[in-house]
Amino acid sequence: MPRRRADFLLEQAVSAFKAGRPGDALLAAESACRLLPTEALPALLRATIVQAARPALAAAAWHQAWCRAPLDARLQDGLLQAWLAQGDTARVAALGPALLPARCRDGSHASLLSALQAAAAAPPGACWKAGDVIEGLLFGGPQTLHLQDELTQARYQLTLPAGRFRVVPPQPDGVWSLATAAAPLPGSPLAFAAPGAAAAPAAARDAALAVVIPVYRGLASVQACLASVLASLPHNRAAAAVLVIDDGSPEAALSAWLDSLAAAGRITLLRNRHNLGFIESVNRALRLPGSHDVLLLNADTLVHGDWIDRLLTALYSADDIAAVTPWSNNGEISSFPSIGVAAPAPGPAGLRRLDAAAAALRRGGMGADIELPACCGFAMLMRRAALDAVGVLDGVGLQRGYGEEVDWCLRARAAGYRHLAATGVYVAHAGGVSFGDEKKLRVRQNRAVLLARYPDYYPDYQRFLRDDPLAGPRQRLRARLAPAGAAQPARGRRPAAADTPLPSGCRRIAVWRHRHGAAHAAQLLRLARLIAARGAAAPALRLLVIGDASEALWRTGVVDLLPPAPDPAAPADDAAPQAAALLDDQALLDLVGCAVVLAEDGAAAPAGRPAVRLDAGFDAGAWLAAWLAEPVHGERRA
């Protein structure tokens, strides 16, 4: 039924849009978007309507459509054009090159290249893998390129003509970049090296473990992260070496500051000539000689106290534990205070309080570490024996970042290992800093690989979210933190919409948060039938029911049914397509011009709007007659 109803709504949206009724068109398209939250077509239609009717919201509408299908060329072009229209060339320049290799490969790159040229960000070409060779496309004239193996640093110079080209790598198992004198071509690096035996960094040979931190941009957050890590080292019994990988940072101040830390002997620093992405930056560290555990840490995290010792205690609580991950405000299934829901990162004082509470509970025997289907890679301690058995992260099948820790954890599970949430440790994590808009693209690409390899993983993940084995430890941590409370989940923000309603072919009466089977359902059905009985000669009037409704109510023919907007605080799989509503329910009431709101007695009504209460004394016939008798609403209206 949702599929058939959504198809009907899409037809209604197209008809209303062509007839010059954008309010009706937007309402139908938004309803279809909510009925089919993962499909791109309803969101594409909605973005088209919004672009014509409310240009200020166009970029947000196109972004949501693109998030549902980030590989769709139509949605890519629509998004970039919307950004250009609002002058946001920086986002076009950041995302466009990431889209270019696939578009060049299938020959659909002309419109994308035009958008990049408009943003003054057009590269000279792009490259991609084709089996065991490198293919690419150069624009303009011939180019002199450098082919570099990022594993061995071997470098070759090539002169290639404009148009398509093929290059056979000199060694079949490298990680290759193709670059001009100015920058690598989009698509670089291209990994041909399969995950092999891992080894800890040389600098960590005398340490219990290496803390591996890839860095790209964001001087302030990187400084805060490294300051917290370095300050924590004296509080841990285990010796730890801090290995930072400068992944071709474009920020000279950041690179210079890392140089100063390395010169002072506080960190070991590796610097990539080109940006390799998270996976191959980590692999560069993992492939160095040595034989110790590895703690992967994002550069937008903060740590506290003897966090390393507590993670090691969890890792070595059993012989078959491959990896452990801590609590975090933004840790997917190990998130606190709510599973699968990102909350604002606490500051240093909040972190100390949260981490101390988690540590005290665990030390006091008030909870156990919980087995996970896979760890979250923002902070993941990996056992050396598992690395030796499984190998490094997979940069061949997976691109740049996202999902690499899931793949590694599932390979380890296949080898007989388990993974744990270390409930005695809390690490703050800002999240979403490294990839920006490119994240959606990489998540979709890498998720497809994981689905093909591990068809049972995502059902297992959703089952974990639903069953929530961490509910007990999470509740104990909440209680420990009372009465002051912990960080609360971030709520979605409502985009601003113009106050003037969009033109529509009718007036609407909104029914706020209606529930099927509610006490007032019979009166609501009577109201719909009375409206339907007015006939075509009377001014058009419809009910907008936000919530759910019976089939009888729908079939009156005067009801627009809008599923409620998704709760921004509900658990979400980060790898799933974006399903949020473009506008919250109240903003939609403003745009479609609802004349009055009916709300269940005792229920919260939309802020700033008077509501007619659907209580035991509500009589549909009497209320409709009185309301229509008011000149602004009924037939007496001029």
Side-chain angles (χ1 to χ4, degrees), residues 339-424:
I339 188 168
V341 178
L351 169 62
R352 288 193 296 271
R353 182 168 171 269
L354 283 158
D355 187 52
L361 285 170
R362 191 71 183 85
R363 280 195 306 269
M366 299 289 289
D369 298 330
I370 302 297
E371 185 172 348
L372 302 174
C375 289
C376 187
F378 76 96
M380 181 169 77
L381 178 58
M382 307 162 77
R383 187 192 288 251
R384 167 53 45 189
L387 276 165
D388 291 341
V390 171
V392 300
L393 306 179
D394 180 9
V396 177
L398 304 174
Q399 297 189 44
R400 292 183 57 77
Y402 294 103
E404 67 283 339
E405 80 274 40
V406 171
D407 177 75
W408 188 88
C409 286
L410 295 181
R411 283 155 48 204
R413 282 180 65 182
Y417 286 97
R418 296 183 295 135
H419 315 292
L420 296 179
T423 60

Side-chain angles (χ1 to χ4, degrees), residues 185-431:
L185 297 185
S188 294
L190 300 167
F192 293 86
R205 288 177 179 172
D206 298 325
L209 57 84
V211 182
V212 175
I213 308 174
V215 168
Y216 180 58
R217 66 165 77 241
L219 175 61
S221 63
V222 173
Q223 286 178 325
C225 172
L226 284 173
S228 73
V229 171
L230 294 171
S232 76
L233 296 183
H235 299 283
N236 290 271
R237 296 186 304 274
V242 180
L243 177 63
V244 177
I245 303 98
D246 179 347
D247 191 17
S249 175
E251 298 180 6
L254 174 55
S255 296
W257 181 74
L258 294 175
D259 286 337
S260 68
L261 285 186
R266 305 194 70 192
I267 65 171
T268 298
L269 178 63
L270 298 177
R271 177 161 285 127
N272 297 337
R273 179 189 295 271
H274 303 130
N275 178 260
L276 304 184
F278 184 87
I279 296 175
E280 289 305 330
S281 290
V282 168
N283 281 345
R284 186 177 174 195
L286 295 179
R287 289 185 174 111
L288 293 174
S291 59
H292 297 286
D293 300 326
V294 174
L295 204 172
L296 302 186
L297 188 68
N298 280 17
D300 58 349
T301 56
L302 296 175
V303 301
H304 172 254
D306 60 343
W307 67 293
I308 293 174
D309 287 344
R310 284 176 277 142
L311 285 175
L312 283 168
T313 297
L315 184 69
Y316 285 94
S317 61
D319 292 340
D320 63 344
I321 306 302
V324 297
T325 196
W327 288 119
S328 177
N329 60 289
N330 187 1
E332 298 180 5
I333 54 178
S334 61
S335 288
F336 178 87
S338 301
I339 188 168
V341 178
L351 169 62
R352 288 193 296 271
R353 182 168 171 269
L354 283 158
D355 187 52
L361 285 170
R362 191 71 183 85
R363 280 195 306 269
M366 299 289 289
D369 298 330
I370 302 297
E371 185 172 348
L372 302 174
C375 289
C376 187
F378 76 96
M380 181 169 77
L381 178 58
M382 307 162 77
R383 187 192 288 251
R384 167 53 45 189
L387 276 165
D388 291 341
V390 171
V392 300
L393 306 179
D394 180 9
V396 177
L398 304 174
Q399 297 189 44
R400 292 183 57 77
Y402 294 103
E404 67 283 339
E405 80 274 40
V406 171
D407 177 75
W408 188 88
C409 286
L410 295 181
R411 283 155 48 204
R413 282 180 65 182
Y417 286 97
R418 296 183 295 135
H419 315 292
L420 296 179
T423 60
V425 189
Y426 184 101
V427 170
H429 176 215

Side-chain angles (χ1 to χ4, degrees), residues 59 82 144 151 154 172 255 266 349 360 436 500 504 507 523 535 589:
T144 297
L151 298 183
S255 296
R266 305 194 70 192
T500 306
S504 297
R507 295 181 65 78
Q523 283 295 326
L589 295 189

Side-chain angles (χ1 to χ4, degrees), residues 510-528 543-550 553 597-604 612-621:
V511 184
W512 188 254
R513 298 289 191 268
H514 177 59
R515 296 172 297 109
H516 179 55
H520 59 265
Q523 283 295 326
L524 191 61
L525 178 59
R526 181 175 175 232
L527 177 61
L543 289 179
L544 171 54
V545 177
I546 300 173
D548 54 34
S550 67
L553 188 61
V597 176
L598 310 181
E600 184 175 356
D601 192 34
V612 175
R613 290 296 172 181
L614 295 169
D615 54 21
F618 178 79
D619 180 274

